[in-house]
Amino acid sequence: MRRVLVTGGAGFMGSNFVRYLIDHTDDHVTVLDRLTYAANRGSLDGVPDERLIFVQGDVGDAAAVDELFAGSDAVVHFAAESHNDNSLNDPRSFLDTNVVGTYTLLEAARRHGTRLHHVSTDEVFGDLELNDAAKFTESSPYNPSSPYSATKASSDLLVRAWRRSFGVRATISNCSNNYGPYQHVEKFIPRQITNVLRGLRPKLYGRGENVRDWIHVDDHSSAVLRILENGEIGETYLIGADGERSNREVVEMILEVMGQPLDAYDLVSDRAGHDLRYAVDSTKLREEFDWAPRYRDFEAGLRATIDWYRDNEWWWAPAKDATEALYAARGQV
Ligand code: NAD
Ligand code: TDX
């Protein structure tokens, strides 16, 4: 039996990964999560008690982290402050969690010799032009734009340095935008779906022309598990599913699926420093592990996600009003 420590396991991608591990392995899971505003303990409902230990705590708490590493065979590090808009308004917690938190885990991995997988983002590479064949690869230079992506880039560089200087057994993945169930209503797709469910109009930043490369969260989980089990120590892998769409296209698709006029959205003030386009070349992952995404039809994945939000209002409703109040205070309504 393997015991896997998952940091940030009450967040969107962490909780989906925990479910994936439970369904696809015999692993026992310990979740370490501070339960910030972004977490939802209900995201782990139904995971059998005998396979899950939940610890509420901070990845920056060296004593707690040390104890958990001592009892773990592998660690997958999802915990982060993850929302760009928040990082523009209050960057401090991003430095604490994303940089100091990752440092704290690396020191524990160094002491205990624990296998560590670090979950990161394609945003560390900055952005691409809109009409360009280029995509990010493992050798793209780091060029982050926002406080969020700068702290994620910093955390990646710490992992690389701890690997080289101290031999920490780490791998890194940089993934494109995830969508699916249990994603906080502050994020683009859930915000628009829950707006429509509430009788509000979707909100597009700027002119809605920015492009994101969407991947279903289950495909992220399957890729991370492959890397955890078969990845070469010290290597970085890009995860993506060739899902480029402009934000406007995504909003129009949501409106269409939800039976609204295609132009029933508002253009609102743009995000400062808004990255134009992300696109990931995942050839290395596909070739080394014979990995392929299962959700290749974005519209089908989006329909299933819309159904999930329609059926699970209990999960998202408690956070909706506060999230929209924050957007209103920032003029993004
Ligand atoms: P999320 O905001 O939904 O979840 C983050 C989780 O981390 C929450 O449960 C929160 O309580 C926890 N957390 C925050 N600070 C903590 C701390 N100090 N100690 C312990 N736990 C803490 O984020 P997400 O969208 O699931 O992203 C997970 C990871 O994946 C992040 O590292 C993010 O950078 C990366 N990532 C996200 C995306 C995406 O599209 N969402 C894409 C690529 C990479
Ligand atoms: O209401 C909105 N309207 C809008 O047009 C919101 C919330 C967002 N947007 C735009 C901004 C982006 O171009 O939609 C796009 C996606 O926005 P987010 O969901 O905030 O994601 P993004 O900034 O692309 O970052 C996401 O992917 C990379 C995650 O939040 C990060 O954690 C991950 O690293």
PDB file of all heavy atoms in Angstrom, residues 128-159:
ATOM      1  N   LEU A 128       1.421  34.129 -25.729  1.00  0.00           N
ATOM      2  CA  LEU A 128       1.738  33.996 -27.150  1.00  0.00           C
ATOM      3  C   LEU A 128       0.878  34.970 -27.937  1.00  0.00           C
ATOM      4  O   LEU A 128      -0.166  35.420 -27.454  1.00  0.00           O
ATOM      5  CB  LEU A 128       1.426  32.566 -27.609  1.00  0.00           C
ATOM      6  CG  LEU A 128       2.205  31.458 -26.894  1.00  0.00           C
ATOM      7  CD1 LEU A 128       1.491  30.107 -27.037  1.00  0.00           C
ATOM      8  CD2 LEU A 128       3.624  31.350 -27.443  1.00  0.00           C
ATOM      9  N   GLU A 129       1.300  35.256 -29.161  1.00  0.00           N
ATOM     10  CA  GLU A 129       0.467  36.094 -30.034  1.00  0.00           C
ATOM     11  C   GLU A 129      -0.803  35.329 -30.404  1.00  0.00           C
ATOM     12  O   GLU A 129      -0.814  34.089 -30.426  1.00  0.00           O
ATOM     13  CB  GLU A 129       1.230  36.449 -31.314  1.00  0.00           C
ATOM     14  CG  GLU A 129       2.434  37.358 -31.082  1.00  0.00           C
ATOM     15  CD  GLU A 129       2.063  38.698 -30.472  1.00  0.00           C
ATOM     16  OE1 GLU A 129       0.977  39.217 -30.809  1.00  0.00           O
ATOM     17  OE2 GLU A 129       2.833  39.203 -29.636  1.00  0.00           O
ATOM     18  N   LEU A 130      -1.847  36.092 -30.761  1.00  0.00           N
ATOM     19  CA  LEU A 130      -3.129  35.437 -31.061  1.00  0.00           C
ATOM     20  C   LEU A 130      -3.059  34.553 -32.304  1.00  0.00           C
ATOM     21  O   LEU A 130      -3.468  33.402 -32.276  1.00  0.00           O
ATOM     22  CB  LEU A 130      -4.229  36.485 -31.246  1.00  0.00           C
ATOM     23  CG  LEU A 130      -4.750  37.142 -29.972  1.00  0.00           C
ATOM     24  CD1 LEU A 130      -5.878  38.108 -30.309  1.00  0.00           C
ATOM     25  CD2 LEU A 130      -5.227  36.097 -28.970  1.00  0.00           C
ATOM     26  N   ASN A 131      -2.521  35.112 -33.373  1.00  0.00           N
ATOM     27  CA  ASN A 131      -2.504  34.342 -34.610  1.00  0.00           C
ATOM     28  C   ASN A 131      -1.086  33.901 -34.923  1.00  0.00           C
ATOM     29  O   ASN A 131      -0.399  34.506 -35.736  1.00  0.00           O
ATOM     30  CB  ASN A 131      -3.097  35.166 -35.755  1.00  0.00           C
ATOM     31  CG  ASN A 131      -4.546  35.476 -35.480  1.00  0.00           C
ATOM     32  OD1 ASN A 131      -5.329  34.580 -35.171  1.00  0.00           O
ATOM     33  ND2 ASN A 131      -4.911  36.748 -35.545  1.00  0.00           N
ATOM     34  N   ASP A 132      -0.694  32.837 -34.247  1.00  0.00           N
ATOM     35  CA  ASP A 132       0.689  32.390 -34.316  1.00  0.00           C
ATOM     36  C   ASP A 132       0.635  30.875 -34.185  1.00  0.00           C
ATOM     37  O   ASP A 132      -0.155  30.333 -33.402  1.00  0.00           O
ATOM     38  CB  ASP A 132       1.435  33.019 -33.117  1.00  0.00           C
ATOM     39  CG  ASP A 132       2.910  32.717 -33.129  1.00  0.00           C
ATOM     40  OD1 ASP A 132       3.329  31.854 -33.915  1.00  0.00           O
ATOM     41  OD2 ASP A 132       3.638  33.343 -32.343  1.00  0.00           O
ATOM     42  N   ALA A 133       1.461  30.177 -34.954  1.00  0.00           N
ATOM     43  CA  ALA A 133       1.448  28.709 -34.853  1.00  0.00           C
ATOM     44  C   ALA A 133       2.172  28.240 -33.595  1.00  0.00           C
ATOM     45  O   ALA A 133       2.051  27.080 -33.197  1.00  0.00           O
ATOM     46  CB  ALA A 133       2.113  28.125 -36.093  1.00  0.00           C
ATOM     47  N   ALA A 134       2.914  29.138 -32.943  1.00  0.00           N
ATOM     48  CA  ALA A 134       3.762  28.723 -31.810  1.00  0.00           C
ATOM     49  C   ALA A 134       2.938  28.230 -30.627  1.00  0.00           C
ATOM     50  O   ALA A 134       1.839  28.720 -30.362  1.00  0.00           O
ATOM     51  CB  ALA A 134       4.626  29.900 -31.382  1.00  0.00           C
ATOM     52  N   LYS A 135       3.490  27.257 -29.929  1.00  0.00           N
ATOM     53  CA  LYS A 135       2.925  26.785 -28.658  1.00  0.00           C
ATOM     54  C   LYS A 135       4.054  26.718 -27.642  1.00  0.00           C
ATOM     55  O   LYS A 135       5.228  26.686 -28.019  1.00  0.00           O
ATOM     56  CB  LYS A 135       2.339  25.381 -28.826  1.00  0.00           C
ATOM     57  CG  LYS A 135       1.137  25.329 -29.760  1.00  0.00           C
ATOM     58  CD  LYS A 135       0.525  23.937 -29.748  1.00  0.00           C
ATOM     59  CE  LYS A 135      -0.767  23.921 -30.562  1.00  0.00           C
ATOM     60  NZ  LYS A 135      -1.646  22.830 -30.201  1.00  0.00           N
ATOM     61  N   PHE A 136       3.711  26.659 -26.367  1.00  0.00           N
ATOM     62  CA  PHE A 136       4.734  26.471 -25.342  1.00  0.00           C
ATOM     63  C   PHE A 136       5.263  25.041 -25.411  1.00  0.00           C
ATOM     64  O   PHE A 136       4.505  24.100 -25.649  1.00  0.00           O
ATOM     65  CB  PHE A 136       4.155  26.671 -23.938  1.00  0.00           C
ATOM     66  CG  PHE A 136       3.605  28.053 -23.664  1.00  0.00           C
ATOM     67  CD1 PHE A 136       2.350  28.199 -23.078  1.00  0.00           C
ATOM     68  CD2 PHE A 136       4.341  29.196 -23.949  1.00  0.00           C
ATOM     69  CE1 PHE A 136       1.834  29.457 -22.791  1.00  0.00           C
ATOM     70  CE2 PHE A 136       3.840  30.461 -23.662  1.00  0.00           C
ATOM     71  CZ  PHE A 136       2.580  30.593 -23.093  1.00  0.00           C
ATOM     72  N   THR A 137       6.584  24.910 -25.182  1.00  0.00           N
ATOM     73  CA  THR A 137       7.198  23.582 -25.038  1.00  0.00           C
ATOM     74  C   THR A 137       8.007  23.579 -23.743  1.00  0.00           C
ATOM     75  O   THR A 137       8.143  24.618 -23.088  1.00  0.00           O
ATOM     76  CB  THR A 137       8.164  23.261 -26.199  1.00  0.00           C
ATOM     77  OG1 THR A 137       9.317  24.098 -26.053  1.00  0.00           O
ATOM     78  CG2 THR A 137       7.523  23.495 -27.554  1.00  0.00           C
ATOM     79  N   GLU A 138       8.581  22.425 -23.421  1.00  0.00           N
ATOM     80  CA  GLU A 138       9.381  22.308 -22.196  1.00  0.00           C
ATOM     81  C   GLU A 138      10.573  23.250 -22.224  1.00  0.00           C
ATOM     82  O   GLU A 138      11.140  23.571 -21.178  1.00  0.00           O
ATOM     83  CB  GLU A 138       9.863  20.866 -21.987  1.00  0.00           C
ATOM     84  CG  GLU A 138       8.796  19.903 -21.475  1.00  0.00           C
ATOM     85  CD  GLU A 138       7.801  19.444 -22.525  1.00  0.00           C
ATOM     86  OE1 GLU A 138       7.985  19.764 -23.727  1.00  0.00           O
ATOM     87  OE2 GLU A 138       6.820  18.755 -22.150  1.00  0.00           O
ATOM     88  N   SER A 139      10.997  23.694 -23.406  1.00  0.00           N
ATOM     89  CA  SER A 139      12.170  24.585 -23.436  1.00  0.00           C
ATOM     90  C   SER A 139      11.799  26.052 -23.631  1.00  0.00           C
ATOM     91  O   SER A 139      12.681  26.895 -23.830  1.00  0.00           O
ATOM     92  CB  SER A 139      13.165  24.119 -24.498  1.00  0.00           C
ATOM     93  OG  SER A 139      12.487  23.923 -25.703  1.00  0.00           O
ATOM     94  N   SER A 140      10.518  26.397 -23.552  1.00  0.00           N
ATOM     95  CA  SER A 140      10.136  27.815 -23.638  1.00  0.00           C
ATOM     96  C   SER A 140      10.738  28.575 -22.453  1.00  0.00           C
ATOM     97  O   SER A 140      10.783  28.060 -21.337  1.00  0.00           O
ATOM     98  CB  SER A 140       8.608  27.967 -23.581  1.00  0.00           C
ATOM     99  OG  SER A 140       8.018  27.371 -24.700  1.00  0.00           O
ATOM    100  N   PRO A 141      11.202  29.820 -22.713  1.00  0.00           N
ATOM    101  CA  PRO A 141      11.767  30.598 -21.603  1.00  0.00           C
ATOM    102  C   PRO A 141      10.691  31.058 -20.622  1.00  0.00           C
ATOM    103  O   PRO A 141       9.545  31.282 -21.003  1.00  0.00           O
ATOM    104  CB  PRO A 141      12.396  31.804 -22.309  1.00  0.00           C
ATOM    105  CG  PRO A 141      11.758  31.871 -23.642  1.00  0.00           C
ATOM    106  CD  PRO A 141      11.281  30.501 -24.009  1.00  0.00           C
ATOM    107  N   TYR A 142      11.066  31.170 -19.361  1.00  0.00           N
ATOM    108  CA  TYR A 142      10.149  31.673 -18.338  1.00  0.00           C
ATOM    109  C   TYR A 142       9.979  33.179 -18.520  1.00  0.00           C
ATOM    110  O   TYR A 142      10.953  33.907 -18.655  1.00  0.00           O
ATOM    111  CB  TYR A 142      10.686  31.350 -16.929  1.00  0.00           C
ATOM    112  CG  TYR A 142      10.287  29.966 -16.460  1.00  0.00           C
ATOM    113  CD1 TYR A 142      10.470  28.865 -17.275  1.00  0.00           C
ATOM    114  CD2 TYR A 142       9.703  29.781 -15.218  1.00  0.00           C
ATOM    115  CE1 TYR A 142      10.076  27.598 -16.866  1.00  0.00           C
ATOM    116  CE2 TYR A 142       9.312  28.511 -14.791  1.00  0.00           C
ATOM    117  CZ  TYR A 142       9.499  27.430 -15.622  1.00  0.00           C
ATOM    118  OH  TYR A 142       9.098  26.181 -15.222  1.00  0.00           O
ATOM    119  N   ASN A 143       8.716  33.632 -18.521  1.00  0.00           N
ATOM    120  CA  ASN A 143       8.451  35.061 -18.753  1.00  0.00           C
ATOM    121  C   ASN A 143       7.089  35.445 -18.163  1.00  0.00           C
ATOM    122  O   ASN A 143       6.201  35.921 -18.863  1.00  0.00           O
ATOM    123  CB  ASN A 143       8.462  35.313 -20.279  1.00  0.00           C
ATOM    124  CG  ASN A 143       8.364  36.779 -20.600  1.00  0.00           C
ATOM    125  OD1 ASN A 143       8.759  37.632 -19.801  1.00  0.00           O
ATOM    126  ND2 ASN A 143       7.823  37.096 -21.767  1.00  0.00           N
ATOM    127  N   PRO A 144       6.904  35.213 -16.851  1.00  0.00           N
ATOM    128  CA  PRO A 144       5.561  35.387 -16.269  1.00  0.00           C
ATOM    129  C   PRO A 144       5.101  36.836 -16.257  1.00  0.00           C
ATOM    130  O   PRO A 144       5.913  37.753 -16.147  1.00  0.00           O
ATOM    131  CB  PRO A 144       5.732  34.868 -14.837  1.00  0.00           C
ATOM    132  CG  PRO A 144       7.182  35.042 -14.540  1.00  0.00           C
ATOM    133  CD  PRO A 144       7.901  34.826 -15.836  1.00  0.00           C
ATOM    134  N   SER A 145       3.761  37.022 -16.343  1.00  0.00           N
ATOM    135  CA  SER A 145       3.201  38.372 -16.446  1.00  0.00           C
ATOM    136  C   SER A 145       2.585  38.877 -15.153  1.00  0.00           C
ATOM    137  O   SER A 145       2.633  40.066 -14.877  1.00  0.00           O
ATOM    138  CB  SER A 145       2.072  38.392 -17.489  1.00  0.00           C
ATOM    139  OG  SER A 145       2.439  37.747 -18.662  1.00  0.00           O
ATOM    140  N   SER A 146       1.915  38.000 -14.409  1.00  0.00           N
ATOM    141  CA  SER A 146       1.130  38.462 -13.253  1.00  0.00           C
ATOM    142  C   SER A 146       1.856  38.073 -11.965  1.00  0.00           C
ATOM    143  O   SER A 146       2.742  37.204 -11.970  1.00  0.00           O
ATOM    144  CB  SER A 146      -0.249  37.797 -13.264  1.00  0.00           C
ATOM    145  OG  SER A 146      -0.128  36.433 -12.905  1.00  0.00           O
ATOM    146  N   PRO A 147       1.447  38.684 -10.842  1.00  0.00           N
ATOM    147  CA  PRO A 147       2.021  38.226  -9.570  1.00  0.00           C
ATOM    148  C   PRO A 147       1.794  36.725  -9.365  1.00  0.00           C
ATOM    149  O   PRO A 147       2.688  36.020  -8.900  1.00  0.00           O
ATOM    150  CB  PRO A 147       1.276  39.072  -8.525  1.00  0.00           C
ATOM    151  CG  PRO A 147       0.901  40.321  -9.266  1.00  0.00           C
ATOM    152  CD  PRO A 147       0.601  39.877 -10.681  1.00  0.00           C
ATOM    153  N   TYR A 148       0.592  36.231  -9.727  1.00  0.00           N
ATOM    154  CA  TYR A 148       0.344  34.783  -9.601  1.00  0.00           C
ATOM    155  C   TYR A 148       1.367  33.979 -10.394  1.00  0.00           C
ATOM    156  O   TYR A 148       2.039  33.085  -9.859  1.00  0.00           O
ATOM    157  CB  TYR A 148      -1.076  34.441 -10.078  1.00  0.00           C
ATOM    158  CG  TYR A 148      -1.257  32.969 -10.390  1.00  0.00           C
ATOM    159  CD1 TYR A 148      -1.250  32.018  -9.380  1.00  0.00           C
ATOM    160  CD2 TYR A 148      -1.410  32.527 -11.710  1.00  0.00           C
ATOM    161  CE1 TYR A 148      -1.389  30.662  -9.666  1.00  0.00           C
ATOM    162  CE2 TYR A 148      -1.555  31.182 -12.007  1.00  0.00           C
ATOM    163  CZ  TYR A 148      -1.541  30.252 -10.990  1.00  0.00           C
ATOM    164  OH  TYR A 148      -1.672  28.910 -11.281  1.00  0.00           O
ATOM    165  N   SER A 149       1.507  34.302 -11.690  1.00  0.00           N
ATOM    166  CA  SER A 149       2.382  33.455 -12.507  1.00  0.00           C
ATOM    167  C   SER A 149       3.851  33.649 -12.131  1.00  0.00           C
ATOM    168  O   SER A 149       4.647  32.709 -12.259  1.00  0.00           O
ATOM    169  CB  SER A 149       2.133  33.653 -13.996  1.00  0.00           C
ATOM    170  OG  SER A 149       2.076  34.992 -14.339  1.00  0.00           O
ATOM    171  N   ALA A 150       4.192  34.831 -11.609  1.00  0.00           N
ATOM    172  CA  ALA A 150       5.573  35.036 -11.147  1.00  0.00           C
ATOM    173  C   ALA A 150       5.869  34.152  -9.931  1.00  0.00           C
ATOM    174  O   ALA A 150       6.969  33.606  -9.804  1.00  0.00           O
ATOM    175  CB  ALA A 150       5.810  36.505 -10.809  1.00  0.00           C
ATOM    176  N   THR A 151       4.870  33.983  -9.046  1.00  0.00           N
ATOM    177  CA  THR A 151       5.130  33.117  -7.882  1.00  0.00           C
ATOM    178  C   THR A 151       5.163  31.647  -8.305  1.00  0.00           C
ATOM    179  O   THR A 151       5.927  30.859  -7.741  1.00  0.00           O
ATOM    180  CB  THR A 151       4.086  33.314  -6.757  1.00  0.00           C
ATOM    181  OG1 THR A 151       2.774  33.036  -7.257  1.00  0.00           O
ATOM    182  CG2 THR A 151       4.151  34.723  -6.174  1.00  0.00           C
ATOM    183  N   LYS A 152       4.351  31.271  -9.293  1.00  0.00           N
ATOM    184  CA  LYS A 152       4.415  29.882  -9.765  1.00  0.00           C
ATOM    185  C   LYS A 152       5.760  29.626 -10.460  1.00  0.00           C
ATOM    186  O   LYS A 152       6.369  28.573 -10.288  1.00  0.00           O
ATOM    187  CB  LYS A 152       3.261  29.574 -10.722  1.00  0.00           C
ATOM    188  CG  LYS A 152       1.890  29.502 -10.080  1.00  0.00           C
ATOM    189  CD  LYS A 152       1.751  28.433  -9.012  1.00  0.00           C
ATOM    190  CE  LYS A 152       1.781  27.017  -9.551  1.00  0.00           C
ATOM    191  NZ  LYS A 152       1.473  26.009  -8.489  1.00  0.00           N
ATOM    192  N   ALA A 153       6.227  30.614 -11.248  1.00  0.00           N
ATOM    193  CA  ALA A 153       7.535  30.464 -11.897  1.00  0.00           C
ATOM    194  C   ALA A 153       8.623  30.319 -10.829  1.00  0.00           C
ATOM    195  O   ALA A 153       9.514  29.470 -10.938  1.00  0.00           O
ATOM    196  CB  ALA A 153       7.806  31.678 -12.792  1.00  0.00           C
ATOM    197  N   SER A 154       8.518  31.127  -9.765  1.00  0.00           N
ATOM    198  CA  SER A 154       9.504  31.045  -8.685  1.00  0.00           C
ATOM    199  C   SER A 154       9.500  29.653  -8.069  1.00  0.00           C
ATOM    200  O   SER A 154      10.559  29.083  -7.798  1.00  0.00           O
ATOM    201  CB  SER A 154       9.181  32.058  -7.582  1.00  0.00           C
ATOM    202  OG  SER A 154       9.039  33.341  -8.110  1.00  0.00           O
ATOM    203  N   SER A 155       8.294  29.114  -7.862  1.00  0.00           N
ATOM    204  CA  SER A 155       8.222  27.796  -7.223  1.00  0.00           C
ATOM    205  C   SER A 155       8.851  26.737  -8.126  1.00  0.00           C
ATOM    206  O   SER A 155       9.553  25.839  -7.647  1.00  0.00           O
ATOM    207  CB  SER A 155       6.775  27.448  -6.858  1.00  0.00           C
ATOM    208  OG  SER A 155       5.971  27.277  -8.001  1.00  0.00           O
ATOM    209  N   ASP A 156       8.629  26.836  -9.441  1.00  0.00           N
ATOM    210  CA  ASP A 156       9.246  25.868 -10.371  1.00  0.00           C
ATOM    211  C   ASP A 156      10.775  25.948 -10.268  1.00  0.00           C
ATOM    212  O   ASP A 156      11.468  24.921 -10.261  1.00  0.00           O
ATOM    213  CB  ASP A 156       8.876  26.191 -11.830  1.00  0.00           C
ATOM    214  CG  ASP A 156       7.414  25.948 -12.149  1.00  0.00           C
ATOM    215  OD1 ASP A 156       6.615  25.706 -11.228  1.00  0.00           O
ATOM    216  OD2 ASP A 156       7.074  26.019 -13.354  1.00  0.00           O
ATOM    217  N   LEU A 157      11.285  27.167 -10.209  1.00  0.00           N
ATOM    218  CA  LEU A 157      12.745  27.337 -10.177  1.00  0.00           C
ATOM    219  C   LEU A 157      13.319  26.803  -8.871  1.00  0.00           C
ATOM    220  O   LEU A 157      14.417  26.226  -8.859  1.00  0.00           O
ATOM    221  CB  LEU A 157      13.116  28.807 -10.395  1.00  0.00           C
ATOM    222  CG  LEU A 157      12.698  29.391 -11.754  1.00  0.00           C
ATOM    223  CD1 LEU A 157      13.133  30.850 -11.884  1.00  0.00           C
ATOM    224  CD2 LEU A 157      13.261  28.576 -12.919  1.00  0.00           C
ATOM    225  N   LEU A 158      12.574  26.963  -7.775  1.00  0.00           N
ATOM    226  CA  LEU A 158      13.027  26.378  -6.510  1.00  0.00           C
ATOM    227  C   LEU A 158      13.111  24.851  -6.642  1.00  0.00           C
ATOM    228  O   LEU A 158      14.089  24.233  -6.215  1.00  0.00           O
ATOM    229  CB  LEU A 158      12.078  26.746  -5.363  1.00  0.00           C
ATOM    230  CG  LEU A 158      12.034  28.223  -4.936  1.00  0.00           C
ATOM    231  CD1 LEU A 158      10.983  28.427  -3.847  1.00  0.00           C
ATOM    232  CD2 LEU A 158      13.391  28.697  -4.446  1.00  0.00           C
ATOM    233  N   VAL A 159      12.076  24.260  -7.254  1.00  0.00           N
ATOM    234  CA  VAL A 159      12.085  22.800  -7.415  1.00  0.00           C
ATOM    235  C   VAL A 159      13.310  22.368  -8.218  1.00  0.00           C
ATOM    236  O   VAL A 159      14.025  21.422  -7.856  1.00  0.00           O
ATOM    237  CB  VAL A 159      10.783  22.310  -8.096  1.00  0.00           C
ATOM    238  CG1 VAL A 159      10.846  20.807  -8.382  1.00  0.00           C
ATOM    239  CG2 VAL A 159       9.560  22.628  -7.228  1.00  0.00           C
TER     240      VAL A 159
END
